[in-house]
Amino acid sequence: MNLNSIPAFQDNYIWVLSEDDGRCLIVDPGEAAPVLRAISDNHWQPEAILLTHHHNDHVGGVKELLRHFPDIVVYGPEETRDKGVTHLVTQGDRLTILGAEFSVFSSPGHTLGHLCYFSFPYLFCGDTMFSGGCGRLFEGTADQMYESFCKINALPEDTIICCAHEYTLTNIKFALSILPEDRELNEYYLKVKELRAKNQKTLPTTLKNERRINIFLRTQDPDLAAVINQETKLLQPNARFAWLRSKKDNF
């Protein structure tokens, strides 16, 4: 399948998987207009929509798309019940779409009912993981988000992570505020800064890359532990994760 991204709002990406014959799957269409333009331009035939959570910038375009394509199957968690969903899904479900099998797993933290969809090599993680960062905790807890990160980190390293927002530059700046001498972070910051200066995307990313530059995946890193221990002695990775999320909230 071909992976496509459609910019929406200020910094959202709506992801589309398409086949050569035009059939496609749409992920988190927060607004309909750019999706309808892309469908027309590419001669796509949408067959399904995946929703990760209930926030409007991820579901706002669903009902309009259904008006144009009433046969689309819309999958989503319980929290999206009133957003146009036709098939509710939950942890452990398996879906076959465009001939590919998608596994569904819960990833609470950003919202309580947040879901991720994985069909190797693609992971659609909504607002759970961003390149270099993690989602804000609107409904869930840091412990829940840490467990969600552990689930993602258990996937193959060549997993292609399709994050929903272009937050990479800010996330790497935050990471450098914690680990200013880190070589990997400094090198990646220069790369990302150059891309964004040209208005180019930093996504999708890979799990292999995120294990290097996403500070929220490095909670067992001795250098990070040493920095945190200068302020407070936190021995457990989940406690360090919570400390980082609190710092990021005020960055």
Side-chain angles (χ1 to χ4, degrees):
M1 287 185 284
N2 308 301
L3 180 67
N4 313 267
S5 63
I6 302 173
F9 302 113
Q10 187 173 1
D11 50 37
N12 282 66
Y13 290 122
I14 299 167
W15 296 97
V16 177
L17 281 177
S18 63
E19 293 280 18
D20 290 341
D21 62 6
R23 293 177 302 133
C24 73
L25 160 68
I26 304 161
V27 184
D28 282 353
E31 57 178 337
V35 178
L36 291 169
R37 284 196 297 272
I39 289 171
S40 176
D41 291 345
N42 293 282
H43 307 289
W44 285 334
Q45 303 158 32
E47 292 196 353
I49 292 173
L50 300 179
L51 301 179
T52 60
H53 65 291
H54 67 85
H55 287 160
N56 194 58
D57 64 322
H58 291 252
V59 303
V62 172
K63 292 180 180 179
E64 178 67 18
L65 289 172
L66 284 172
R67 279 193 282 271
H68 286 81
F69 304 98
D71 294 331
I72 296 178
V73 181
V74 184
Y75 300 95
E78 174 64 36
E79 65 180 40
T80 63
R81 178 182 286 273
D82 63 344
K83 309 298 183 181
V85 164
T86 63
H87 289 69
L88 292 172
V89 291
T90 189
Q91 164 78 31
D93 284 349
R94 293 185 176 275
L95 315 173
T96 300
I97 307 170
L98 303 180
E101 185 176 86
F102 289 79
S103 59
V104 182
F105 64 89
S106 62
S107 54
H110 184 66
T111 67
L112 290 176
H114 200 295
L115 296 178
C116 290
Y117 301 86
F118 178 63
S119 179
F120 185 81
Y122 303 112
L123 173 70
F124 299 103
C125 60
D127 285 357
T128 299
M129 180 180 287
F130 301 123
S131 185
C134 79
R136 189 177 289 273
L137 304 177
F138 283 116
E139 298 173 12
T141 66
D143 278 350
Q144 287 176 316
M145 185 66 92
Y146 172 75
E147 292 300 324
S148 297
F149 260 55
C150 288
K151 291 178 184 178
I152 293 175
N153 202 26
L155 297 174
E157 68 172 15
D158 49 348
T159 295
I160 296 172
I161 300 177
C162 302
C163 315
H165 290 273
E166 182 61 72
Y167 291 162
T168 314
L169 185 59
T170 300
N171 287 336
I172 301 302
K173 286 180 179 178
F174 167 70
L176 283 171
S177 76
I178 305 295
L179 295 173
E181 305 302 322
D182 187 279
R183 180 178 59 81
E184 300 268 28
L185 288 173
N186 277 284
E187 289 178 356
Y188 200 62
Y189 172 72
L190 293 177
K191 177 181 178 180
V192 169
K193 186 179 179 182
E194 182 177 352
L195 286 171
R196 295 308 296 152
K198 298 175 182 177
N199 201 32
Q200 295 179 1
K201 300 188 301 288
T202 66
L203 300 173
T205 182
T206 64
L207 184 55
K208 181 178 181 179
N209 182 56
E210 292 306 302
R211 286 172 177 166
R212 294 188 304 110
I213 59 88
N214 193 320
I215 200 168
F216 290 91
L217 283 173
R218 293 174 54 178
T219 53
Q220 300 194 55
D221 185 320
D223 292 337
L224 178 60
V227 169
I228 294 175
N229 286 345
Q230 291 175 8
E231 292 195 25
T232 179
K233 199 168 186 66
L234 299 175
L235 300 180
Q236 299 303 316
N238 61 323
R240 294 173 186 157
F241 187 101
W243 183 89
L244 285 170
R245 183 61 257 184
S246 176
K247 288 287 186 182
K248 181 64 167 62
D249 288 342
N250 298 294
F251 179 67

